[in-house]
Amino acid sequence: MMARIPLGCEAVAGSLTPSKKRDYRVTNRLQEGKRPIYAVVFNFIDSRYFNAFATAGGNRVTVYQCLEGGVIAVLQSYIDEDVNKFELLFCLYFGFFLAKDAFFSDSVLLCLSLVGHGDSINEIRTQPLKPSLVVSASKDESVRLWNIHTGICILIFAGAGGHRNEVLSVDFHPSDIYRIASCGMDNTVKIWSMKEFWTYVEKSFTWTDLPSKFPTKYVQFPVFIASVHTNYVDCNRWIGDFMLSKSVDNELVLWEPKMKEQSPGEGTVDILQKYPVPECDIWFIKFSCDFHYKAAAVGNREGKIYVWEIQSNPPVLIASTILSCCEDGTIWRWDVVASS
């Protein structure tokens, strides 16, 4: 059952005239190659490397570091020799890997291959409270929960109540360790609970047999289904207990899911605010939030970037961002011009 949008709840829309104008200048521009770069992600897992970020595109993943004066240093670059011209790396995210009896140095990469999805993987996210847990969203209409410490697929979110088309985005709740949200080409956002299956999550950390022998469980029914958008939903992020989601209708939407605990799948949606993004009517243009979820940045098909202050009412446009990646294989860095 779809969540209903209550009558009389009118969202507050932001203005495209920045009220907190900041001057930015391009301080660096790197060309990785001729293939598109599909993802650029800052490291939010280890605070010692807060200025490190990574990119994915073609058959390459590269790790960089933002230094003073606009400098971008290349730390490591990895080439997947198994990826051919018909396969591309779409997404990446920083995680935390525990290994026994392993030798580490600054030049060693310990790899783990997680096999299970039947088609392209569109997004990966790490559980902030347990960074050994990773969730993936796929074209095969499923979401999967993995333990990268043991290589186990713990849960598969799919089936009778699952997505009916490509899953494009997924996110962990920042404080409720049992909850995730996913969205996709079936125009819905679905909220799932792992509480009933948490014993299997705990078991995955101590599993010593082959990963293929782990009793992977299907979670077939979400606890909430919302049709906030009328077209593909290609990105969603939890903002506390609220949800920020984006479709191909030139805007981000902040809304509150109001679930009925006694009636899973039922409830209402309260749309709170809308953040316009002109010329953003093609899918797989994803937005990104800062570490404290105070701002959201999103680009459009004309190469412009909009940064919205999420926690203000009405929404405030605060101009540009620091990092972006493009289809021409370039990375751009902007820095705020210091006021005199």
Side-chain angles (χ1 to χ4, degrees), residues 41-145:
V41 178
F42 265 111
N43 163 41
F44 287 162
I45 296 296
D46 192 334
S47 61
R48 296 174 300 171
Y49 307 104
F50 68 94
N51 58 354
F53 69 95
T55 62
N59 64 339
R60 176 187 300 171
V61 172
T62 306
V63 183
Y64 299 91
Q65 189 172 20
C66 283
L67 303 176
E68 293 183 3
V71 175
I72 298 178
V74 179
L75 300 182
Q76 294 171 321
S77 187
Y78 310 109
I79 304 296
D80 186 351
E81 300 295 346
D82 290 334
V83 176
N84 59 42
K85 64 180 180 179
F86 301 109
E87 295 178 315
L88 300 171
L89 298 177
F90 286 142
C91 55
L92 79 161
Y93 209 74
F94 284 86
F96 186 72
F97 190 83
L98 298 173
K100 298 178 180 179
D101 303 322
F103 173 77
F104 293 92
S105 75
D106 290 340
S107 60
V108 172
L109 173 68
L110 184 58
C111 292
L112 174 69
S113 180
L114 302 173
V115 180
H117 279 297
D119 217 316
S120 303
I121 297 171
N122 291 316
E123 190 163 80
I124 300 171
R125 299 286 286 177
T126 305
Q127 195 353 295
L129 303 176
K130 286 185 177 290
S132 291
L133 298 178
V134 168
V135 69
S136 55
S138 175
K139 186 178 180 179
D140 67 6
E141 303 182 5
S142 78
V143 172
R144 292 181 180 238
L145 178 71

Side-chain angles (χ1 to χ4, degrees), residues 21-40:
K21 181 64 177 176
R22 298 176 183 175
D23 292 325
Y24 284 74
R25 62 187 178 91
V26 176
T27 54
N28 210 328
R29 176 180 179 273
L30 295 179
Q31 182 87 34
E32 277 197 5
K34 295 182 179 179
R35 285 191 171 187
I37 302 174
Y38 289 106
V40 56

Side-chain angles (χ1 to χ4, degrees), residues 71-314:
V71 175
I72 298 178
V74 179
L75 300 182
Q76 294 171 321
S77 187
Y78 310 109
I79 304 296
D80 186 351
E81 300 295 346
D82 290 334
V83 176
N84 59 42
K85 64 180 180 179
F86 301 109
E87 295 178 315
L88 300 171
L89 298 177
F90 286 142
C91 55
L92 79 161
Y93 209 74
F94 284 86
F96 186 72
F97 190 83
L98 298 173
K100 298 178 180 179
D101 303 322
F103 173 77
F104 293 92
S105 75
D106 290 340
S107 60
V108 172
L109 173 68
L110 184 58
C111 292
L112 174 69
S113 180
L114 302 173
V115 180
H117 279 297
D119 217 316
S120 303
I121 297 171
N122 291 316
E123 190 163 80
I124 300 171
R125 299 286 286 177
T126 305
Q127 195 353 295
L129 303 176
K130 286 185 177 290
S132 291
L133 298 178
V134 168
V135 69
S136 55
S138 175
K139 186 178 180 179
D140 67 6
E141 303 182 5
S142 78
V143 172
R144 292 181 180 238
L145 178 71
W146 309 84
N147 187 322
I148 60 173
H149 174 48
T150 51
I152 287 170
C153 178
I154 310 167
L155 301 173
I156 302 174
F157 303 87
H163 285 283
R164 289 294 175 262
N165 207 329
E166 227 173 298
V167 189
L168 299 178
S169 185
V170 65
D171 194 32
F172 284 102
H173 192 286
S175 57
D176 186 341
I177 199 167
Y178 303 122
R179 192 156 290 184
I180 66 171
S182 60
C183 62
M185 285 186 172
D186 59 2
N187 306 352
T188 67
V189 178
K190 295 178 187 281
I191 297 176
W192 308 82
S193 175
M194 296 180 278
K195 191 171 185 179
E196 181 183 346
F197 302 90
W198 196 250
T199 54
Y200 294 94
V201 177
E202 293 175 333
K203 185 183 295 186
S204 73
F205 284 91
T206 57
W207 188 258
T208 56
D209 206 339
L210 293 173
S212 59
K213 293 185 178 182
F214 186 83
T216 301
K217 295 297 178 181
Y218 271 86
V219 184
Q220 296 200 55
F221 296 97
V223 295
F224 194 79
I225 305 173
S227 281
V228 176
H229 305 274
T230 59
N231 211 320
Y232 296 165
V233 190
D234 58 4
C235 195
N236 64 220
R237 294 289 181 267
W238 289 99
I239 309 294
D241 289 327
F242 300 144
M243 184 69 63
L244 185 64
S245 58
K246 173 194 165 290
S247 182
V248 296
D249 48 11
N250 298 316
E251 65 183 8
L252 308 181
V253 178
L254 181 68
W255 50 279
E256 182 182 7
K258 295 185 174 180
M259 290 171 273
K260 294 182 178 179
E261 296 296 335
Q262 304 304 320
S263 304
E266 296 185 18
T268 59
V269 168
D270 190 358
I271 297 179
L272 305 173
Q273 300 193 150
K274 294 184 177 181
Y275 310 84
V277 186
E279 308 300 330
C280 192
D281 52 0
I282 57 175
W283 67 284
F284 218 82
I285 300 180
K286 300 195 175 187
F287 65 85
S288 183
C289 298
D290 69 322
F291 180 77
H292 297 288
Y293 289 88
K294 292 182 177 180
V298 60
N300 68 3
R301 57 182 172 83
E302 291 187 338
K304 294 181 180 178
I305 296 175
Y306 296 81
V307 178
W308 287 99
E309 192 173 271
I310 303 172
Q311 299 179 19
S312 64
N313 187 350

